[in-house]
Amino acid sequence: MSFLNRLTALELRLSGVSWILRHTIQRKKVTILMFHKPLPEDFEKAVVALKKRYNILPFSQFIDQNLNAGFKLPPRPLVITLDDGWASNYFLLPVIEKYEVPVIIFLMAEIADTKRQPWFKFINNKHQKQELKRVSDSIRMTTLKHRGFEETREYSERIALNLQEITEMQASGLVEFGSHTLFHPILPRCNDAKALREIQVSKQKVEALTGRTCRFFSFPNGEYSERDIRLCKKAGYEAAVTLDVGFNQPGSDPFRLKRISVPDKSSVSELLIKASGFWAFFKVIVGKQKKNRRHSGL
């Protein structure tokens, strides 16, 4: 986030908007946040800020209670998720244990416990990366192959959690694991056979890594189709998270759970404004204003 945006976040926080949202809209709804690979010091800062203002729940507790129409949420409930299962997530364990904060990590199941790399790490150009997310999966794979990428290639550097780390984190009783497919394709761009394999086999792989039932799924890039939801249900998952921005409540569709992406490294003001959901709304308003000015010739 730029300095200007950081300043805007501070101004918004000082205006009290995040406090108002926490104590009104968020008070009786579940906020799910998404991190990726924060550094321990940044994660600790985020955890301290969030614990002061929210009640952090295990993801499984929310899902179990979500199926019970009569359950009561604590005020301002929040869930912390981490996508991909990066090796650096292991170094968050002391923070997790120190503050007794539950988290769920969604693993790329064929990259965990290997020295493989996901395709999006192979592509450095941001524009090219976005283009490859938009095309069909067959075109994406062909393009990557022509550039020398192979999904099963082992590199010298390990970038994903290994079995020992997964086992130790799980043993803390504070870390849950779910599936984030096998290799992180964009599921709606995949044919039926590949989508089924990525969803179904990744569940089995995660179960082999953890020794526990894999109950939950995270859609790569937050993208999904009705077919992908059907495949998740068929595979035996109990819930799935998207990147549809918003909050959840008792009775929310467990396979279309909304999440808010927050920076791995941010100021407390940025974190709280984004966690409140206001930043996404603010960006839409600013975007509309800019669009209107362009159309008016200003």
Side-chain angles (χ1 to χ4, degrees), residues 170-213:
Q170 186 172 253
S172 71
L174 292 164
V175 183
E176 301 176 287
F177 291 95
S179 168
H180 200 36
T181 69
L182 295 170
F183 291 104
H184 205 289
I186 308 302
L187 286 172
R189 315 285 186 267
C190 298
N191 61 33
D192 291 350
K194 181 162 185 177
L196 174 61
R197 183 174 185 274
E198 288 283 342
I199 291 170
Q200 189 175 69
V201 179
S202 65
K203 184 178 190 297
Q204 299 165 3
K205 292 280 186 179
V206 172
E207 289 174 346
L209 286 166
T210 64
R212 298 183 184 179
T213 301

Side-chain angles (χ1 to χ4, degrees), residues 13-30:
R13 181 187 171 197
L14 292 176
S15 75
V17 66
S18 58
W19 186 95
I20 292 170
L21 289 171
R22 281 198 305 275
H23 290 268
T24 55
I25 295 174
Q26 288 182 292
R27 181 173 176 79
K28 294 185 178 181
K29 295 187 178 181
V30 179

Side-chain angles (χ1 to χ4, degrees), residues 220-243:
N221 212 43
E223 297 189 43
Y224 62 96
S225 65
E226 292 298 321
R227 176 206 64 187
D228 303 325
I229 290 175
R230 289 197 302 272
L231 291 176
C232 281
K233 292 178 180 179
K234 181 179 179 182
Y237 293 102
E238 298 174 36
V241 291
T242 72
L243 278 178

Side-chain angles (χ1 to χ4, degrees), residues 91-282:
F91 299 105
L92 304 180
L93 186 56
V95 177
I96 290 168
E97 293 181 321
K98 177 180 178 180
Y99 295 97
E100 297 183 332
V101 56
V103 305
I104 182 168
I105 300 174
F106 293 100
L107 301 171
M108 298 178 287
E110 279 283 18
I111 296 174
D113 198 37
T114 73
K115 289 186 177 180
R116 297 170 183 169
Q117 295 186 1
W119 69 271
F120 54 85
K121 193 174 187 301
F122 182 78
I123 301 295
N124 294 320
N125 184 284
K126 186 176 180 180
H127 175 73
Q128 293 176 354
K129 195 178 298 184
Q130 292 304 316
E131 284 297 312
L132 286 173
K133 290 179 180 181
R134 298 188 190 102
V135 300
S136 70
D137 187 70
S138 59
I139 292 176
R140 179 181 68 87
M141 293 302 296
T142 299
T143 302
L144 288 168
K145 186 175 182 180
H146 285 163
R147 296 183 184 183
F149 177 77
E150 294 181 10
E151 286 184 327
T152 56
R153 176 183 170 186
E154 298 276 342
Y155 292 79
S156 58
E157 178 188 5
R158 177 175 63 86
I159 64 169
L161 289 167
N162 64 22
L163 178 58
Q164 181 179 343
E165 292 163 343
I166 291 169
T167 301
E168 186 177 342
M169 295 184 84
Q170 186 172 253
S172 71
L174 292 164
V175 183
E176 301 176 287
F177 291 95
S179 168
H180 200 36
T181 69
L182 295 170
F183 291 104
H184 205 289
I186 308 302
L187 286 172
R189 315 285 186 267
C190 298
N191 61 33
D192 291 350
K194 181 162 185 177
L196 174 61
R197 183 174 185 274
E198 288 283 342
I199 291 170
Q200 189 175 69
V201 179
S202 65
K203 184 178 190 297
Q204 299 165 3
K205 292 280 186 179
V206 172
E207 289 174 346
L209 286 166
T210 64
R212 298 183 184 179
T213 301
C214 178
R215 303 171 59 194
F216 311 122
F217 187 82
S218 172
F219 292 109
N221 212 43
E223 297 189 43
Y224 62 96
S225 65
E226 292 298 321
R227 176 206 64 187
D228 303 325
I229 290 175
R230 289 197 302 272
L231 291 176
C232 281
K233 292 178 180 179
K234 181 179 179 182
Y237 293 102
E238 298 174 36
V241 291
T242 72
L243 278 178
D244 297 343
V245 177
F247 310 114
N248 308 280
Q249 57 192 5
S252 290
D253 185 338
F255 289 91
R256 291 180 175 84
L257 294 174
K258 297 176 180 179
R259 278 195 300 177
I260 296 173
S261 177
V262 291
D264 288 335
K265 181 180 179 63
S266 68
S267 67
V268 171
S269 294
E270 287 177 62
L271 174 69
L272 296 179
I273 287 295
K274 289 199 171 185
S276 75
F278 184 80
W279 190 255
F281 173 76
F282 178 72

